[in-house]
Amino acid sequence: MDKQSTLDVRTMPLIMEGITLSFPGQTVIEDFSMLLPWGEKQVLAGASGSGKSSILRVILGFIVPDKGNIQIDGHAVDGKSIWHLRKKIGYVPQEPQLGTGKVQDILNHPFTYKANAGMSLDLQQQSQLLEQFSLPVSILEKEITDLSGGEKQRIAIIAALLLKRPIYLFDEPTSALDKENAAVLADLLMRSDMTALVATHDARLAGIGDCITLPGRGGNGGGH
Amino acid sequence: MTEAVIHPWGVAAGYLMTLIPLGVIYWYKLPMMGQALLAMVRMTIQLVFVGLYLQVVFRLNNFWLNLLWLVVMVAVADGSILKGCGLKIRVMATEIFIALLVGVAIPLIVFVGVVLSCPNVLDARLMIPIAGMILGNCMRADIVGIRTFYQSLAGSQRILEYRLGQSASLSEATRPFVIQALQQAMTPTVATMATFGLVSLPGMMTGVILGGNDPMTAIQYQIAIMLSIFTGTSITVTLGIRLSARRAFNAYGIPDKSIFA
């Protein structure tokens, strides 16, 4: 951390250094480092299996890397700090599994968590986002399991944005979106002052910020 | 009321009756003849041993010996539950043991101390059969509940991650899985209570009637034991999940796969 320790962490909400992650018989990420300044968007690109999703899951503590350090907002990620640091992050998973219940309940539920105490669902923003993503208000009364893949993905994006986090991690957020809705998300990301790391191989999001291309599986750069 | 009398030669005659199931196995060439015979031999030896042992235990009625019996029953149930759930015994044994001990002790104290107004909760003649019935029923419910909890977690890790990603605490993120497990575990007990007397005469009631008591006494015992089983089930499953969960997740709230046997 010698090099990074000289960086001003106030301008770097996310620092990853020397991350190596392997599963039995396979190295998924090898010696990966990156810096994400406040207010900037970066695109994590790479072929399927190159470890894009794994990097996002490592940041959130869902996978513990073999080696390397992660800092979020100046705090090292470990088993203790992660519970506090997750409050700074909005996460949109790939092919989101949102549980069961009505859409409105799914959107309300995060505000019942202790960590989000003091926050409440912004109904005005909810209406705006539904409209922006071409979803009718009536969808709020539908069961989440009855929605299409594209609708679920938009609800997952809306749920994350309603939490108003300073940092966002998007995992293939346009995989089930049509051209119009992908453009809405790209526009929203570009106009917003949020800090975001977007794992995608969708060219429609290429313009939102700097691009980090991961080598193919095996980490030897030969998998493109 | 006439007390039914049972004699060893009568039981021996009962073995003759098994010529029917053994005949079915033989006729249809079911591949379980050896298994069935061995099961009958094992049952006989085990029960004769328990009968002889209990005679001594009942005669001595020693506090420490009775307590030891309870602890052994709980420990055996502990091992069976973990095996039935596919979880590692050395990782979870203490947590499930505590859950079972608390879940059996509370209804046992109420049953013996309050319902039967017996000051000695560990009286062998009361404690051993009552604790055995509570434990036996809890064990089945615990296997269903704890196994459901860990299997649904293993199959829905992305849902868990989604909730953790929204800043849920571990107990908030796992709550839907706990609810599902408790429902699965407690539904059979609730359903059994609802059909008692209509579909079948339950075991304890049958025993009390065979022992020469009148049906109204028998139903009071049956009601008390069912309420004890219901209480014990709720405590053992809830505690079993909550306590074992402390060992089942890493510091980041993700299930630790090494807990599975």
Side-chain angles (χ1 to χ4, degrees), chain A residues 41-45 133 153 157 170-190 196-212:
Chain A
K41 286 93 194 162
Q42 285 186 4
V43 173
L44 263 181
F133 284 103
Q153 197 161 41
I157 293 168
F170 292 90
D171 193 356
E172 299 287 3
T174 55
S175 60
L177 297 191
D178 57 22
K179 201 171 128 190
E180 287 74 25
N181 282 304
V184 169
L185 180 64
D187 184 54
L188 197 144
L189 286 168
M190 279 195 286
L197 182 60
V198 184
T200 184
H201 59 258
D202 186 345
R204 296 174 293 186
L205 294 179
I208 62 162
D210 292 342
C211 184
I212 303 166

Side-chain angles (χ1 to χ4, degrees), chain A residues 57 61-62 64 78-79 82-83 86-87 89 93 97-99 110 112-116 156 159 163 165, chain B residues 155-173 176 250-254:
Chain A
R57 295 176 69 219
F62 300 154
V64 181
D78 57 35
I82 192 66
W83 299 95
R86 280 179 187 146
K87 286 191 263 181
I89 298 174
Q97 292 181 31
L98 310 177
T112 66
Y113 298 150
K114 275 191 208 121
N116 299 326
L163 282 167
R165 304 297 202 213
Chain B
S156 309
Q157 191 173 323
R158 292 304 172 103
I159 295 180
L160 180 78
E161 288 181 8
Y162 182 66
R163 294 185 183 127
L164 292 173
Q166 291 177 322
S167 309
S169 66
L170 186 56
S171 73
E172 286 166 336
N250 66 16
Y252 298 83
I254 298 302

Side-chain angles (χ1 to χ4, degrees), chain A:
Chain A
M1 283 305 292
D2 287 350
K3 194 175 169 187
Q4 264 69 33
S5 61
T6 60
L7 291 165
D8 186 352
V9 293
R10 285 170 302 182
T11 61
M12 293 292 167
L14 179 63
I15 301 170
M16 298 183 85
E17 190 199 41
I19 301 294
T20 296
L21 173 71
S22 55
F23 297 133
Q26 177 197 347
T27 301
V28 182
I29 305 163
E30 194 165 6
D31 198 24
F32 174 81
S33 300
M34 68 163 286
L35 301 167
L36 180 61
W38 279 117
E40 288 200 12
K41 286 93 194 162
Q42 285 186 4
V43 173
L44 263 181
S48 293
S50 58
K52 301 189 294 293
S53 296
S54 295
I55 287 172
L56 302 191
R57 295 176 69 219
V58 163
I59 294 168
L60 285 157
F62 300 154
I63 316 175
V64 181
D66 307 324
K67 275 198 293 186
N69 302 304
I70 305 155
Q71 279 194 47
I72 297 172
D73 197 16
H75 300 277
V77 171
D78 57 35
K80 207 172 170 187
S81 65
I82 192 66
W83 299 95
H84 170 69
L85 296 174
R86 280 179 187 146
K87 286 191 263 181
K88 298 175 186 289
I89 298 174
Y91 174 51
V92 179
Q94 187 176 14
E95 294 167 16
Q97 292 181 31
L98 310 177
T100 53
K102 288 192 172 155
V103 172
Q104 184 67 76
D105 296 332
I106 299 283
L107 295 175
N108 280 335
H109 202 64
F111 298 96
T112 66
Y113 298 150
K114 275 191 208 121
N116 299 326
M119 296 177 67
S120 58
L121 180 68
D122 184 339
L123 289 171
Q124 199 184 344
Q125 191 193 7
Q126 176 181 283
S127 303
Q128 280 172 358
L129 287 167
L130 285 172
E131 197 182 331
Q132 272 180 288
F133 284 103
S134 311
L135 291 168
V137 178
S138 59
I139 201 169
L140 295 171
E141 290 305 310
K142 282 192 178 175
E143 289 294 319
I144 193 80
T145 44
D146 291 339
L147 303 193
S148 69
E151 286 171 327
K152 271 188 210 164
Q153 197 161 41
R154 281 176 278 168
I155 292 297
I157 293 168
I158 291 170
L161 295 174
L162 286 169
L163 282 167
K164 298 179 180 167
R165 304 297 202 213
I167 307 164
Y168 277 90
L169 305 176
F170 292 90
D171 193 356
E172 299 287 3
T174 55
S175 60
L177 297 191
D178 57 22
K179 201 171 128 190
E180 287 74 25
N181 282 304
V184 169
L185 180 64
D187 184 54
L188 197 144
L189 286 168
M190 279 195 286
R191 283 193 295 108
S192 150
D193 58 359
M194 71 169 74
T195 305
L197 182 60
V198 184
T200 184
H201 59 258
D202 186 345
R204 296 174 293 186
L205 294 179
I208 62 162
D210 292 342
C211 184
I212 303 166
T213 303
L214 296 172
R217 186 169 282 184
N220 55 9
H224 290 280

